[in-house]
Structures are given as C-alpha cells and as structure tokens.
Amino acid sequence: MPGVLALATWSIYVPLAGVFYFPEVPPSVLTIGFFGLFACLAVILNFARWRLIVILASSVYLSFYAVRVIRMVALTTDLEISSLLSALSFYYSASWQVTAGILQERGVLGGLTHGFLEYAMPVLSLALIGLAIKGVRLK
C-alpha cells in the first residue's frame, strides 16, 4: 500500500507542479520533484530501502512546504508565538480565497492543481511518512 500511494502521489505531483509553475519553475519545486522521482524509481525497482527513500522525499517536501508557509506568515507578523498562530490561521483562511481566485483565473484544472499542491500534498506526505515508518518497523 505505501508503495502504490508513493508512486501515485509523486507521479501526480511532478507533472502538476511543473505545469503549474511553468515557465519559471522554482528551484524548490525542482528539488522536490527530483526526490519524488527518486522515490518512484526506488518503488518501481523494489529497492531494498525504498521506504526510507519515500520518507526522505516526503520529508524534503514537508521541509520546503513549512519554510514557504512560515515565510508567508512572517510577512504579516512579528515572530511572537501568539501573533504567529493568528497569522497562520489567517494564512489558511486566506488560502481558500486564493484557490477561488485561481479557479477564476486559470479555470477548473488550475484550481484543482492549486488545491492538490496546497492542501492534498502535505496530507499525503504525512500519510506516506506514517505508512513507510509503520512498514519499516514491521520488517
């Protein structure tokens, strides 16, 4: 199950992110895509330690995602815990408005792509890490 989920997640992320950010794909997306493709290759070739590679790829994604969110939140607040939490709440509530704007500007496919990249990918990455860790413990 974790292998199929990893293969599906990364094989969807790589082309979607490339198309979404085209023509100026950020280096962070290229780095995440590289690790995602590496994870897909490890799963396909049934590499002995593929679960660790999936954990690595998901951790790289979550690291870049966390840095991006923290940078966005830091733009709106001084870095105190109470204001940071309210700014983080504002970020996710405003993100729905951004998604609606992207739906209007880029159409349904653009909106769904943004939704996948912003909402589904962090959850899938956490799920992949959890499933892979569970699989590593079982062996």
Side-chain angles (χ1 to χ4, degrees):
M1 178 69 177
V4 172
L5 182 60
L7 200 56
T9 298
W10 292 111
S11 62
I12 292 171
Y13 173 83
V14 171
L16 274 184
V19 169
F20 188 74
Y21 292 108
F22 185 79
E24 296 178 18
V25 180
S28 61
V29 172
L30 294 174
T31 304
I32 294 166
F34 169 77
F35 280 98
L37 289 175
F38 187 51
C40 286
L41 187 61
V43 170
I44 290 169
L45 296 177
N46 199 20
F47 181 66
R49 305 279 186 215
W50 67 264
R51 284 181 173 83
L52 295 176
I53 296 172
V54 167
I55 291 170
L56 174 67
S58 298
S59 297
V60 166
Y61 170 80
L62 287 173
S63 297
F64 277 105
Y65 180 76
V67 167
R68 183 173 54 86
V69 169
I70 289 170
R71 287 177 68 193
M72 294 285 210
V73 166
L75 289 173
T76 63
T77 184
D78 50 359
L79 291 174
E80 294 177 12
I81 295 297
S82 62
S83 59
L84 190 63
L85 293 175
S86 66
L88 193 60
S89 173
F90 173 75
Y91 172 81
Y92 282 107
S93 65
S95 186
W96 288 107
Q97 295 171 349
V98 171
T99 303
I102 290 177
L103 271 168
Q104 291 175 351
E105 181 181 316
R106 293 189 179 181
V108 173
L109 186 59
L112 291 175
T113 300
H114 177 264
F116 178 81
L117 295 174
E118 185 68 25
Y119 304 113
M121 240 348 248
V123 173
L124 288 170
S125 293
L126 287 172
L128 283 172
I129 290 172
L131 290 171
I133 287 173
K134 183 179 175 184
V136 169
R137 282 193 214 157
L138 293 176
K139 289 192 171 199

